[in-house]
Amino acid sequence: DTAVSQTPKYLVTQMGNDKSIKCEQNLGHDTMYWYKQDSKKFLKIMFSYNNKELIINETVPNRFSPKSPDKAHLNLHINSLELGDSAVYFCASSQGTELGAFFGQGTRLTVV
Amino acid sequence: AQSVTQPDIHITVSEGASLELRCNYSYGATPYLFWYVQSPGQGLQLLLKYFSGDTLVQGIKGFEAEFKRSQSSFNLRKPSVHWSDAAEYFCAVGANDDMRFGAGTRLTVKP
């Protein structure tokens, strides 16, 4: 039973399209995150939510809009995709920062 | 915001040798510190964490890390490396629903 699941695992799309990535956690955690991992493996935090409330919004373009319908879900919608958006996007969740975060398997987004 | 530096981009060790991966953090208060491992094509797995108490923490897969406040460091160690330990290792610092990662250290294990 997957703790943090993301869909889809792979996403190939053309520039200018709009796409969404879904994330669900069944751990009962209050906090969820989105991270972007670039080709050099650097992990950059994009957003964090605590119980559906936005906590961190880290200088991410407005084209990226997170949506948290409930505390078990944090979806990422991306408008007008650009080549530079190609990366692996990771969703994570935690119950208290001190306990660490559990990560999903990632969504590899390729914009062509 | 807090930040993390991993000075070594790539480390190569021989199987059976000891390992130390370096991590330095910047944060004004007592940090929550973590080490994660990422195998190719996989998500991140938590190896160990520190948030209070004993400064030497034990993790999974035989790893340990030592928190040194005076040096702002949280180095990861393993006494004897196995070929399956080859992966990318990330140090992270967390506070207030905000977790920041270092750039990662890629570990190669020679037979």
Side-chain angles (χ1 to χ4, degrees):
Chain A
D1 195 18
T2 305
V4 182
S5 60
Q6 298 178 226
T7 53
K9 188 169 182 179
Y10 299 97
L11 185 52
V12 181
T13 188
Q14 291 188 325
M15 277 195 303
N17 284 351
D18 303 338
K19 290 293 177 185
S20 292
I21 306 172
K22 295 186 176 181
C23 179
E24 176 181 5
Q25 54 97 1
N26 62 6
L27 298 168
H29 290 169
D30 285 335
T31 303
M32 296 186 73
Y33 309 81
W34 276 110
Y35 287 87
K36 179 181 181 181
Q37 187 173 46
D38 63 22
S39 58
K40 295 185 178 179
K41 301 291 187 184
F42 183 69
L43 269 164
K44 179 176 162 51
I45 190 167
M46 301 173 69
F47 304 102
S48 77
Y49 272 73
N50 184 301
N51 207 4
K52 302 194 298 175
E53 180 184 347
L54 179 66
I55 304 297
I56 298 290
N57 182 345
E58 191 68 8
T59 59
V60 177
N62 291 340
R63 300 182 294 103
F64 290 80
S65 53
K67 293 236 177 357
S68 183
D70 55 59
K71 75 173 194 177
H73 296 84
L74 181 61
N75 304 323
L76 184 65
H77 189 75
I78 315 169
N79 289 329
S80 304
L81 278 154
E82 300 177 357
L83 292 176
D85 297 331
S86 295
V88 180
Y89 292 83
F90 284 100
C91 177
S93 72
S94 69
Q95 183 60 29
T97 311
E98 67 272 19
L99 298 180
F102 289 80
F103 280 76
Q105 290 300 296
T107 296
R108 181 174 293 277
L109 172 64
T110 303
V111 182
V112 298
Chain B
Q2 64 273 30
S3 65
V4 177
T5 302
Q6 292 180 247
D8 304 306
I9 295 173
H10 183 203
I11 283 183
T12 299
V13 299
S14 297
E15 191 168 14
S18 64
L19 170 71
E20 183 168 25
L21 301 182
R22 296 183 292 164
C23 171
N24 293 96
Y25 68 90
S26 173
Y27 185 58
T30 300
Y32 302 136
L33 295 163
F34 312 90
W35 275 99
Y36 286 83
V37 61
Q38 184 181 30
S39 298
Q42 301 296 311
L44 280 78
Q45 182 182 21
L46 180 64
L47 285 175
L48 48 77
K49 56 183 179 281
Y50 169 81
F51 56 90
S52 67
D54 194 346
T55 56
L56 184 63
V57 293
Q58 303 297 320
I60 61 171
K61 305 186 181 190
F63 286 93
E64 65 178 27
E66 186 170 13
F67 170 57
K68 293 186 177 180
R69 185 187 301 275
S70 61
Q71 299 176 19
S72 297
S73 68
F74 188 56
N75 294 348
L76 181 72
R77 301 195 293 247
K78 186 168 185 178
S80 177
V81 170
H82 188 262
W83 64 266
S84 60
D85 292 324
E88 192 86 21
Y89 290 81
F90 293 92
C91 182
V93 57
N96 304 320
D97 296 323
D98 183 356
M99 188 175 293
R100 307 278 166 147
F101 285 79
T105 298
R106 182 160 60 95
L107 175 65
T108 298
V109 181
K110 291 192 302 186

